[in-house]
Amino acid sequence: GQNIDQPTEMTATEGAIVQINCTYQTSGFNGLFWYQQHAGEAPTFLSYNVLDGLEEKGRFSSFLSRSKGYSYLLLKELQMKDSASYLCAVRPEYGNKLVFGAGTILRVKS
Amino acid sequence: DTEVTQTPKHLVMGMTNKKSLKCEQHMGHRAMYWYKQKAKKPPELMFVYSYEKLSINESVPSRFSPECPNSSLLNLHLHALQPEDSALYLCASSQVIERQFFGPGTRLTVL
């Protein structure tokens, strides 16, 4: 089976840094994606990791450790508009299928 | 054009109705997807078309019938749905094995 775990909810303050963790146990591994989804809207792509290490893209960074089945999304200089659900998704095999975690609802307060 | 469009935005239907959801992309992507998303849950994959052929069917009930008329269009035909089928239906597209671009979704209510 496929199992992807994320915290259900997190709260952070505007201007701060927040780390959203994702652990996975899947039948295979061929990449991990992070998506952002605002309420009532479509998910939008944030990052992709297939090799171990840190990928940085502006205020957002994502880290992967394949040996630990672990990833995190780091959001810096939080803004109110970052309040959204953050979805971790794993591609368990070469191909098109993604398995999504339940998502982490991030609330940014002023 | 980096957009996936879906119509209609909202749909209300009875259990005996037949309706269709439509999805379109003009990014030259060769893979297209249907997902179902219930409130506060992650998207669940339903179907994948790759090069206009159905490549994945996640054991979806036959009351949902996908169709890919050409490389830019994807339809989902609905018939004899149940109230528990009410959800947000998301279409996505990608180059094969690359990141997926999602459309805004169709919010379906089955009465």
Side-chain angles (χ1 to χ4, degrees), chain A residues 33 35 37 42-43 45 87 91 94-98 100-102, chain B residues 33 35 37 42-43 45 48 56 58 96-97 99-100 102-104:
Chain A
F33 297 78
Y35 282 84
Q37 187 175 25
F45 170 80
L87 300 162
R91 185 161 60 206
Y94 184 85
N96 296 322
K97 182 172 178 175
L98 287 183
F100 282 86
Chain B
Y33 312 76
Y35 287 88
Q37 187 175 27
L45 184 65
V48 181
I56 297 176
E58 290 287 281
V96 178
I97 78 163
R99 65 178 168 122
Q100 296 178 21
F102 285 83

PDB file of all heavy atoms in Angstrom, chain A residues 33 35 37 42-43 45 87 91 94-98 100-102, chain B residues 33 35 37 42-43 45 48 56 58 96-97 99-100 102-104:
ATOM      1  N   PHE A  33       6.452  15.627  -4.992  1.00  0.00           N
ATOM      2  CA  PHE A  33       5.969  16.949  -5.381  1.00  0.00           C
ATOM      3  C   PHE A  33       5.312  17.630  -4.187  1.00  0.00           C
ATOM      4  O   PHE A  33       4.708  16.972  -3.336  1.00  0.00           O
ATOM      5  CB  PHE A  33       4.902  16.830  -6.484  1.00  0.00           C
ATOM      6  CG  PHE A  33       5.388  16.240  -7.776  1.00  0.00           C
ATOM      7  CD1 PHE A  33       5.579  14.877  -7.907  1.00  0.00           C
ATOM      8  CD2 PHE A  33       5.636  17.057  -8.869  1.00  0.00           C
ATOM      9  CE1 PHE A  33       6.021  14.329  -9.109  1.00  0.00           C
ATOM     10  CE2 PHE A  33       6.065  16.518 -10.076  1.00  0.00           C
ATOM     11  CZ  PHE A  33       6.255  15.154 -10.191  1.00  0.00           C
ATOM     12  N   TYR A  35       2.430  20.687  -3.644  1.00  0.00           N
ATOM     13  CA  TYR A  35       1.446  21.550  -4.266  1.00  0.00           C
ATOM     14  C   TYR A  35       0.810  22.436  -3.190  1.00  0.00           C
ATOM     15  O   TYR A  35       0.669  22.034  -2.037  1.00  0.00           O
ATOM     16  CB  TYR A  35       0.331  20.736  -4.936  1.00  0.00           C
ATOM     17  CG  TYR A  35       0.705  20.141  -6.271  1.00  0.00           C
ATOM     18  CD1 TYR A  35       1.386  18.928  -6.356  1.00  0.00           C
ATOM     19  CD2 TYR A  35       0.371  20.796  -7.459  1.00  0.00           C
ATOM     20  CE1 TYR A  35       1.723  18.379  -7.583  1.00  0.00           C
ATOM     21  CE2 TYR A  35       0.712  20.251  -8.690  1.00  0.00           C
ATOM     22  CZ  TYR A  35       1.390  19.049  -8.733  1.00  0.00           C
ATOM     23  OH  TYR A  35       1.721  18.517  -9.959  1.00  0.00           O
ATOM     24  N   GLN A  37      -2.743  24.557  -2.344  1.00  0.00           N
ATOM     25  CA  GLN A  37      -4.142  24.652  -2.765  1.00  0.00           C
ATOM     26  C   GLN A  37      -4.882  25.614  -1.837  1.00  0.00           C
ATOM     27  O   GLN A  37      -5.073  25.330  -0.652  1.00  0.00           O
ATOM     28  CB  GLN A  37      -4.828  23.282  -2.758  1.00  0.00           C
ATOM     29  CG  GLN A  37      -6.229  23.318  -3.344  1.00  0.00           C
ATOM     30  CD  GLN A  37      -6.873  21.943  -3.457  1.00  0.00           C
ATOM     31  OE1 GLN A  37      -6.517  21.024  -2.731  1.00  0.00           O
ATOM     32  NE2 GLN A  37      -7.823  21.804  -4.398  1.00  0.00           N
ATOM     33  N   ALA A  42      -7.790  25.253  -7.538  1.00  0.00           N
ATOM     34  CA  ALA A  42      -7.011  24.101  -7.979  1.00  0.00           C
ATOM     35  C   ALA A  42      -5.648  24.072  -7.299  1.00  0.00           C
ATOM     36  O   ALA A  42      -5.097  25.116  -6.944  1.00  0.00           O
ATOM     37  CB  ALA A  42      -6.824  24.170  -9.496  1.00  0.00           C
ATOM     38  N   PRO A  43      -5.077  22.886  -7.118  1.00  0.00           N
ATOM     39  CA  PRO A  43      -3.689  22.813  -6.623  1.00  0.00           C
ATOM     40  C   PRO A  43      -2.731  23.449  -7.632  1.00  0.00           C
ATOM     41  O   PRO A  43      -2.900  23.301  -8.844  1.00  0.00           O
ATOM     42  CB  PRO A  43      -3.434  21.305  -6.524  1.00  0.00           C
ATOM     43  CG  PRO A  43      -4.783  20.666  -6.498  1.00  0.00           C
ATOM     44  CD  PRO A  43      -5.664  21.559  -7.313  1.00  0.00           C
ATOM     45  N   PHE A  45       1.515  23.866  -8.531  1.00  0.00           N
ATOM     46  CA  PHE A  45       2.811  23.229  -8.310  1.00  0.00           C
ATOM     47  C   PHE A  45       3.751  24.169  -7.569  1.00  0.00           C
ATOM     48  O   PHE A  45       3.854  25.349  -7.897  1.00  0.00           O
ATOM     49  CB  PHE A  45       3.406  22.847  -9.667  1.00  0.00           C
ATOM     50  CG  PHE A  45       4.827  22.403  -9.610  1.00  0.00           C
ATOM     51  CD1 PHE A  45       5.150  21.118  -9.230  1.00  0.00           C
ATOM     52  CD2 PHE A  45       5.851  23.276  -9.949  1.00  0.00           C
ATOM     53  CE1 PHE A  45       6.471  20.706  -9.189  1.00  0.00           C
ATOM     54  CE2 PHE A  45       7.176  22.876  -9.912  1.00  0.00           C
ATOM     55  CZ  PHE A  45       7.487  21.581  -9.533  1.00  0.00           C
ATOM     56  N   LEU A  87      -0.007  20.182  -0.098  1.00  0.00           N
ATOM     57  CA  LEU A  87      -0.145  18.767  -0.402  1.00  0.00           C
ATOM     58  C   LEU A  87       1.204  18.179  -0.806  1.00  0.00           C
ATOM     59  O   LEU A  87       1.867  18.699  -1.703  1.00  0.00           O
ATOM     60  CB  LEU A  87      -1.133  18.563  -1.560  1.00  0.00           C
ATOM     61  CG  LEU A  87      -2.558  19.056  -1.339  1.00  0.00           C
ATOM     62  CD1 LEU A  87      -3.288  19.200  -2.666  1.00  0.00           C
ATOM     63  CD2 LEU A  87      -3.306  18.100  -0.436  1.00  0.00           C
ATOM     64  N   ARG A  91       5.322  10.062  -6.480  1.00  0.00           N
ATOM     65  CA  ARG A  91       5.157   9.213  -7.662  1.00  0.00           C
ATOM     66  C   ARG A  91       5.819   7.883  -7.328  1.00  0.00           C
ATOM     67  O   ARG A  91       7.049   7.796  -7.275  1.00  0.00           O
ATOM     68  CB  ARG A  91       5.802   9.878  -8.872  1.00  0.00           C
ATOM     69  CG  ARG A  91       5.574   9.113 -10.167  1.00  0.00           C
ATOM     70  CD  ARG A  91       5.814   9.995 -11.364  1.00  0.00           C
ATOM     71  NE  ARG A  91       7.161  10.515 -11.390  1.00  0.00           N
ATOM     72  CZ  ARG A  91       7.498  11.655 -11.992  1.00  0.00           C
ATOM     73  NH1 ARG A  91       6.590  12.378 -12.591  1.00  0.00           N
ATOM     74  NH2 ARG A  91       8.755  12.069 -11.973  1.00  0.00           N
ATOM     75  N   TYR A  94       7.765   4.848 -12.089  1.00  0.00           N
ATOM     76  CA  TYR A  94       7.932   5.635 -13.299  1.00  0.00           C
ATOM     77  C   TYR A  94       6.599   5.659 -14.040  1.00  0.00           C
ATOM     78  O   TYR A  94       6.033   4.630 -14.354  1.00  0.00           O
ATOM     79  CB  TYR A  94       9.019   5.012 -14.194  1.00  0.00           C
ATOM     80  CG  TYR A  94       9.317   5.828 -15.406  1.00  0.00           C
ATOM     81  CD1 TYR A  94      10.233   6.874 -15.344  1.00  0.00           C
ATOM     82  CD2 TYR A  94       8.676   5.573 -16.618  1.00  0.00           C
ATOM     83  CE1 TYR A  94      10.503   7.638 -16.463  1.00  0.00           C
ATOM     84  CE2 TYR A  94       8.946   6.331 -17.730  1.00  0.00           C
ATOM     85  CZ  TYR A  94       9.856   7.364 -17.654  1.00  0.00           C
ATOM     86  OH  TYR A  94      10.106   8.121 -18.759  1.00  0.00           O
ATOM     87  N   GLY A  95       6.089   6.837 -14.286  1.00  0.00           N
ATOM     88  CA  GLY A  95       4.784   6.943 -14.936  1.00  0.00           C
ATOM     89  C   GLY A  95       4.044   8.159 -14.455  1.00  0.00           C
ATOM     90  O   GLY A  95       4.632   9.078 -13.895  1.00  0.00           O
ATOM     91  N   ASN A  96       2.743   8.167 -14.674  1.00  0.00           N
ATOM     92  CA  ASN A  96       1.957   9.367 -14.436  1.00  0.00           C
ATOM     93  C   ASN A  96       1.246   9.403 -13.096  1.00  0.00           C
ATOM     94  O   ASN A  96       0.697  10.419 -12.734  1.00  0.00           O
ATOM     95  CB  ASN A  96       0.900   9.503 -15.539  1.00  0.00           C
ATOM     96  CG  ASN A  96       1.543   9.693 -16.892  1.00  0.00           C
ATOM     97  OD1 ASN A  96       2.538  10.378 -17.011  1.00  0.00           O
ATOM     98  ND2 ASN A  96       1.000   9.056 -17.903  1.00  0.00           N
ATOM     99  N   LYS A  97       1.224   8.332 -12.361  1.00  0.00           N
ATOM    100  CA  LYS A  97       0.390   8.285 -11.173  1.00  0.00           C
ATOM    101  C   LYS A  97       1.048   9.003 -10.002  1.00  0.00           C
ATOM    102  O   LYS A  97       2.225   8.801  -9.709  1.00  0.00           O
ATOM    103  CB  LYS A  97       0.130   6.824 -10.792  1.00  0.00           C
ATOM    104  CG  LYS A  97      -0.771   6.655  -9.595  1.00  0.00           C
ATOM    105  CD  LYS A  97      -1.131   5.209  -9.398  1.00  0.00           C
ATOM    106  CE  LYS A  97      -1.993   5.040  -8.158  1.00  0.00           C
ATOM    107  NZ  LYS A  97      -2.451   3.649  -8.008  1.00  0.00           N
ATOM    108  N   LEU A  98       0.259   9.867  -9.332  1.00  0.00           N
ATOM    109  CA  LEU A  98       0.685  10.514  -8.099  1.00  0.00           C
ATOM    110  C   LEU A  98      -0.220  10.050  -6.964  1.00  0.00           C
ATOM    111  O   LEU A  98      -1.420   9.916  -7.148  1.00  0.00           O
ATOM    112  CB  LEU A  98       0.554  12.035  -8.195  1.00  0.00           C
ATOM    113  CG  LEU A  98       1.554  12.803  -9.053  1.00  0.00           C
ATOM    114  CD1 LEU A  98       1.278  14.307  -8.935  1.00  0.00           C
ATOM    115  CD2 LEU A  98       2.979  12.495  -8.631  1.00  0.00           C
ATOM    116  N   PHE A 100      -1.351  11.335  -3.272  1.00  0.00           N
ATOM    117  CA  PHE A 100      -1.331  12.546  -2.461  1.00  0.00           C
ATOM    118  C   PHE A 100      -1.475  12.221  -0.978  1.00  0.00           C
ATOM    119  O   PHE A 100      -2.238  11.329  -0.582  1.00  0.00           O
ATOM    120  CB  PHE A 100      -2.493  13.472  -2.850  1.00  0.00           C
ATOM    121  CG  PHE A 100      -2.254  14.244  -4.116  1.00  0.00           C
ATOM    122  CD1 PHE A 100      -2.549  13.698  -5.353  1.00  0.00           C
ATOM    123  CD2 PHE A 100      -1.732  15.534  -4.071  1.00  0.00           C
ATOM    124  CE1 PHE A 100      -2.329  14.411  -6.524  1.00  0.00           C
ATOM    125  CE2 PHE A 100      -1.509  16.264  -5.226  1.00  0.00           C
ATOM    126  CZ  PHE A 100      -1.807  15.695  -6.456  1.00  0.00           C
ATOM    127  N   GLY A 101      -0.766  12.983  -0.150  1.00  0.00           N
ATOM    128  CA  GLY A 101      -1.045  12.990   1.273  1.00  0.00           C
ATOM    129  C   GLY A 101      -2.316  13.783   1.537  1.00  0.00           C
ATOM    130  O   GLY A 101      -2.853  14.434   0.630  1.00  0.00           O
ATOM    131  N   ALA A 102      -2.788  13.753   2.777  1.00  0.00           N
ATOM    132  CA  ALA A 102      -4.056  14.397   3.131  1.00  0.00           C
ATOM    133  C   ALA A 102      -3.963  15.915   3.125  1.00  0.00           C
ATOM    134  O   ALA A 102      -4.989  16.592   3.126  1.00  0.00           O
ATOM    135  CB  ALA A 102      -4.533  13.914   4.489  1.00  0.00           C
TER     136      ALA A 102
ATOM    137  N   TYR B  33      -5.657  13.890 -16.857  1.00  0.00           N
ATOM    138  CA  TYR B  33      -6.083  13.177 -15.659  1.00  0.00           C
ATOM    139  C   TYR B  33      -7.439  13.678 -15.181  1.00  0.00           C
ATOM    140  O   TYR B  33      -7.756  14.860 -15.310  1.00  0.00           O
ATOM    141  CB  TYR B  33      -5.091  13.458 -14.504  1.00  0.00           C
ATOM    142  CG  TYR B  33      -3.638  13.303 -14.845  1.00  0.00           C
ATOM    143  CD1 TYR B  33      -2.961  14.267 -15.584  1.00  0.00           C
ATOM    144  CD2 TYR B  33      -2.917  12.194 -14.398  1.00  0.00           C
ATOM    145  CE1 TYR B  33      -1.618  14.134 -15.887  1.00  0.00           C
ATOM    146  CE2 TYR B  33      -1.573  12.058 -14.688  1.00  0.00           C
ATOM    147  CZ  TYR B  33      -0.926  13.029 -15.441  1.00  0.00           C
ATOM    148  OH  TYR B  33       0.407  12.892 -15.721  1.00  0.00           O
ATOM    149  N   TYR B  35      -9.354  13.718 -11.402  1.00  0.00           N
ATOM    150  CA  TYR B  35      -9.295  13.486  -9.968  1.00  0.00           C
ATOM    151  C   TYR B  35     -10.639  13.850  -9.348  1.00  0.00           C
ATOM    152  O   TYR B  35     -11.337  14.743  -9.824  1.00  0.00           O
ATOM    153  CB  TYR B  35      -8.245  14.391  -9.306  1.00  0.00           C
ATOM    154  CG  TYR B  35      -6.805  14.044  -9.556  1.00  0.00           C
ATOM    155  CD1 TYR B  35      -6.130  14.551 -10.663  1.00  0.00           C
ATOM    156  CD2 TYR B  35      -6.102  13.249  -8.665  1.00  0.00           C
ATOM    157  CE1 TYR B  35      -4.786  14.257 -10.878  1.00  0.00           C
ATOM    158  CE2 TYR B  35      -4.753  12.952  -8.865  1.00  0.00           C
ATOM    159  CZ  TYR B  35      -4.122  13.465  -9.975  1.00  0.00           C
ATOM    160  OH  TYR B  35      -2.793  13.174 -10.178  1.00  0.00           O
ATOM    161  N   GLN B  37     -12.110  15.156  -5.590  1.00  0.00           N
ATOM    162  CA  GLN B  37     -11.668  15.685  -4.300  1.00  0.00           C
ATOM    163  C   GLN B  37     -12.867  16.016  -3.430  1.00  0.00           C
ATOM    164  O   GLN B  37     -13.675  16.873  -3.789  1.00  0.00           O
ATOM    165  CB  GLN B  37     -10.773  16.915  -4.487  1.00  0.00           C
ATOM    166  CG  GLN B  37     -10.151  17.400  -3.181  1.00  0.00           C
ATOM    167  CD  GLN B  37      -9.176  18.548  -3.362  1.00  0.00           C
ATOM    168  OE1 GLN B  37      -9.290  19.320  -4.307  1.00  0.00           O
ATOM    169  NE2 GLN B  37      -8.207  18.673  -2.463  1.00  0.00           N
ATOM    170  N   PRO B  42      -7.452  14.983   0.165  1.00  0.00           N
ATOM    171  CA  PRO B  42      -6.587  15.194  -1.002  1.00  0.00           C
ATOM    172  C   PRO B  42      -7.278  14.732  -2.276  1.00  0.00           C
ATOM    173  O   PRO B  42      -8.258  13.982  -2.226  1.00  0.00           O
ATOM    174  CB  PRO B  42      -5.387  14.296  -0.691  1.00  0.00           C
ATOM    175  CG  PRO B  42      -5.954  13.203   0.147  1.00  0.00           C
ATOM    176  CD  PRO B  42      -7.031  13.833   0.980  1.00  0.00           C
ATOM    177  N   PRO B  43      -6.769  15.165  -3.422  1.00  0.00           N
ATOM    178  CA  PRO B  43      -7.310  14.653  -4.691  1.00  0.00           C
ATOM    179  C   PRO B  43      -7.073  13.143  -4.800  1.00  0.00           C
ATOM    180  O   PRO B  43      -6.009  12.647  -4.446  1.00  0.00           O
ATOM    181  CB  PRO B  43      -6.504  15.406  -5.752  1.00  0.00           C
ATOM    182  CG  PRO B  43      -5.942  16.603  -5.052  1.00  0.00           C
ATOM    183  CD  PRO B  43      -5.731  16.174  -3.640  1.00  0.00           C
ATOM    184  N   LEU B  45      -6.970  10.084  -7.546  1.00  0.00           N
ATOM    185  CA  LEU B  45      -6.886   9.820  -8.973  1.00  0.00           C
ATOM    186  C   LEU B  45      -8.013   8.895  -9.408  1.00  0.00           C
ATOM    187  O   LEU B  45      -8.315   7.904  -8.747  1.00  0.00           O
ATOM    188  CB  LEU B  45      -5.537   9.174  -9.296  1.00  0.00           C
ATOM    189  CG  LEU B  45      -5.252   8.914 -10.764  1.00  0.00           C
ATOM    190  CD1 LEU B  45      -5.156  10.219 -11.546  1.00  0.00           C
ATOM    191  CD2 LEU B  45      -3.972   8.096 -10.918  1.00  0.00           C
ATOM    192  N   VAL B  48      -6.291   8.179 -15.981  1.00  0.00           N
ATOM    193  CA  VAL B  48      -5.194   8.825 -16.685  1.00  0.00           C
ATOM    194  C   VAL B  48      -5.266   8.433 -18.149  1.00  0.00           C
ATOM    195  O   VAL B  48      -5.413   7.247 -18.469  1.00  0.00           O
ATOM    196  CB  VAL B  48      -3.812   8.426 -16.133  1.00  0.00           C
ATOM    197  CG1 VAL B  48      -2.711   9.159 -16.903  1.00  0.00           C
ATOM    198  CG2 VAL B  48      -3.711   8.727 -14.646  1.00  0.00           C
ATOM    199  N   ILE B  56      -4.670   4.421 -17.039  1.00  0.00           N
ATOM    200  CA  ILE B  56      -4.959   4.079 -15.643  1.00  0.00           C
ATOM    201  C   ILE B  56      -6.447   4.300 -15.376  1.00  0.00           C
ATOM    202  O   ILE B  56      -7.000   5.350 -15.692  1.00  0.00           O
ATOM    203  CB  ILE B  56      -4.121   4.923 -14.654  1.00  0.00           C
ATOM    204  CG1 ILE B  56      -2.632   4.648 -14.829  1.00  0.00           C
ATOM    205  CG2 ILE B  56      -4.556   4.654 -13.207  1.00  0.00           C
ATOM    206  CD1 ILE B  56      -1.721   5.506 -13.950  1.00  0.00           C
ATOM    207  N   GLU B  58      -8.559   3.774 -11.892  1.00  0.00           N
ATOM    208  CA  GLU B  58      -8.399   3.395 -10.488  1.00  0.00           C
ATOM    209  C   GLU B  58      -9.670   2.743  -9.944  1.00  0.00           C
ATOM    210  O   GLU B  58     -10.228   3.164  -8.932  1.00  0.00           O
ATOM    211  CB  GLU B  58      -8.023   4.622  -9.648  1.00  0.00           C
ATOM    212  CG  GLU B  58      -6.625   5.124  -9.918  1.00  0.00           C
ATOM    213  CD  GLU B  58      -5.550   4.221  -9.344  1.00  0.00           C
ATOM    214  OE1 GLU B  58      -5.287   4.272  -8.134  1.00  0.00           O
ATOM    215  OE2 GLU B  58      -4.970   3.446 -10.134  1.00  0.00           O
ATOM    216  N   VAL B  96       4.346  13.783 -20.281  1.00  0.00           N
ATOM    217  CA  VAL B  96       4.419  12.471 -19.639  1.00  0.00           C
ATOM    218  C   VAL B  96       5.498  12.500 -18.565  1.00  0.00           C
ATOM    219  O   VAL B  96       6.607  12.934 -18.799  1.00  0.00           O
ATOM    220  CB  VAL B  96       4.704  11.381 -20.679  1.00  0.00           C
ATOM    221  CG1 VAL B  96       4.821  10.023 -20.018  1.00  0.00           C
ATOM    222  CG2 VAL B  96       3.588  11.369 -21.721  1.00  0.00           C
ATOM    223  N   ILE B  97       5.141  12.109 -17.369  1.00  0.00           N
ATOM    224  CA  ILE B  97       5.917  12.029 -16.123  1.00  0.00           C
ATOM    225  C   ILE B  97       6.388  13.361 -15.562  1.00  0.00           C
ATOM    226  O   ILE B  97       7.083  13.395 -14.566  1.00  0.00           O
ATOM    227  CB  ILE B  97       7.135  11.054 -16.196  1.00  0.00           C
ATOM    228  CG1 ILE B  97       8.313  11.677 -16.929  1.00  0.00           C
ATOM    229  CG2 ILE B  97       6.749   9.727 -16.774  1.00  0.00           C
ATOM    230  CD1 ILE B  97       9.622  10.928 -16.647  1.00  0.00           C
ATOM    231  N   ARG B  99       5.507  17.477 -14.082  1.00  0.00           N
ATOM    232  CA  ARG B  99       4.554  17.998 -13.112  1.00  0.00           C
ATOM    233  C   ARG B  99       3.202  18.257 -13.754  1.00  0.00           C
ATOM    234  O   ARG B  99       3.109  18.562 -14.940  1.00  0.00           O
ATOM    235  CB  ARG B  99       5.081  19.290 -12.497  1.00  0.00           C
ATOM    236  CG  ARG B  99       5.228  20.455 -13.474  1.00  0.00           C
ATOM    237  CD  ARG B  99       5.696  21.656 -12.715  1.00  0.00           C
ATOM    238  NE  ARG B  99       6.127  22.728 -13.574  1.00  0.00           N
ATOM    239  CZ  ARG B  99       5.598  23.939 -13.551  1.00  0.00           C
ATOM    240  NH1 ARG B  99       4.596  24.203 -12.750  1.00  0.00           N
ATOM    241  NH2 ARG B  99       6.067  24.892 -14.324  1.00  0.00           N
ATOM    242  N   GLN B 100       2.166  18.124 -12.942  1.00  0.00           N
ATOM    243  CA  GLN B 100       0.803  18.247 -13.431  1.00  0.00           C
ATOM    244  C   GLN B 100       0.283  19.659 -13.203  1.00  0.00           C
ATOM    245  O   GLN B 100       0.502  20.257 -12.155  1.00  0.00           O
ATOM    246  CB  GLN B 100      -0.089  17.229 -12.711  1.00  0.00           C
ATOM    247  CG  GLN B 100       0.312  15.790 -13.034  1.00  0.00           C
ATOM    248  CD  GLN B 100      -0.517  14.765 -12.311  1.00  0.00           C
ATOM    249  OE1 GLN B 100      -1.626  15.038 -11.860  1.00  0.00           O
ATOM    250  NE2 GLN B 100       0.018  13.560 -12.191  1.00  0.00           N
ATOM    251  N   PHE B 102      -3.178  21.737 -12.904  1.00  0.00           N
ATOM    252  CA  PHE B 102      -4.573  21.469 -12.577  1.00  0.00           C
ATOM    253  C   PHE B 102      -5.489  22.561 -13.092  1.00  0.00           C
ATOM    254  O   PHE B 102      -5.144  23.742 -13.093  1.00  0.00           O
ATOM    255  CB  PHE B 102      -4.765  21.354 -11.060  1.00  0.00           C
ATOM    256  CG  PHE B 102      -4.266  20.071 -10.482  1.00  0.00           C
ATOM    257  CD1 PHE B 102      -2.924  19.903 -10.171  1.00  0.00           C
ATOM    258  CD2 PHE B 102      -5.129  19.012 -10.259  1.00  0.00           C
ATOM    259  CE1 PHE B 102      -2.457  18.713  -9.642  1.00  0.00           C
ATOM    260  CE2 PHE B 102      -4.669  17.819  -9.723  1.00  0.00           C
ATOM    261  CZ  PHE B 102      -3.336  17.672  -9.420  1.00  0.00           C
ATOM    262  N   GLY B 103      -6.685  22.148 -13.508  1.00  0.00           N
ATOM    263  CA  GLY B 103      -7.736  23.102 -13.812  1.00  0.00           C
ATOM    264  C   GLY B 103      -8.450  23.527 -12.541  1.00  0.00           C
ATOM    265  O   GLY B 103      -8.195  22.979 -11.471  1.00  0.00           O
ATOM    266  N   PRO B 104      -9.374  24.520 -12.643  1.00  0.00           N
ATOM    267  CA  PRO B 104     -10.052  25.052 -11.468  1.00  0.00           C
ATOM    268  C   PRO B 104     -11.099  24.114 -10.885  1.00  0.00           C
ATOM    269  O   PRO B 104     -11.552  24.324  -9.761  1.00  0.00           O
ATOM    270  CB  PRO B 104     -10.703  26.334 -11.982  1.00  0.00           C
ATOM    271  CG  PRO B 104     -10.879  26.100 -13.447  1.00  0.00           C
ATOM    272  CD  PRO B 104      -9.749  25.226 -13.880  1.00  0.00           C
TER     273      PRO B 104
END
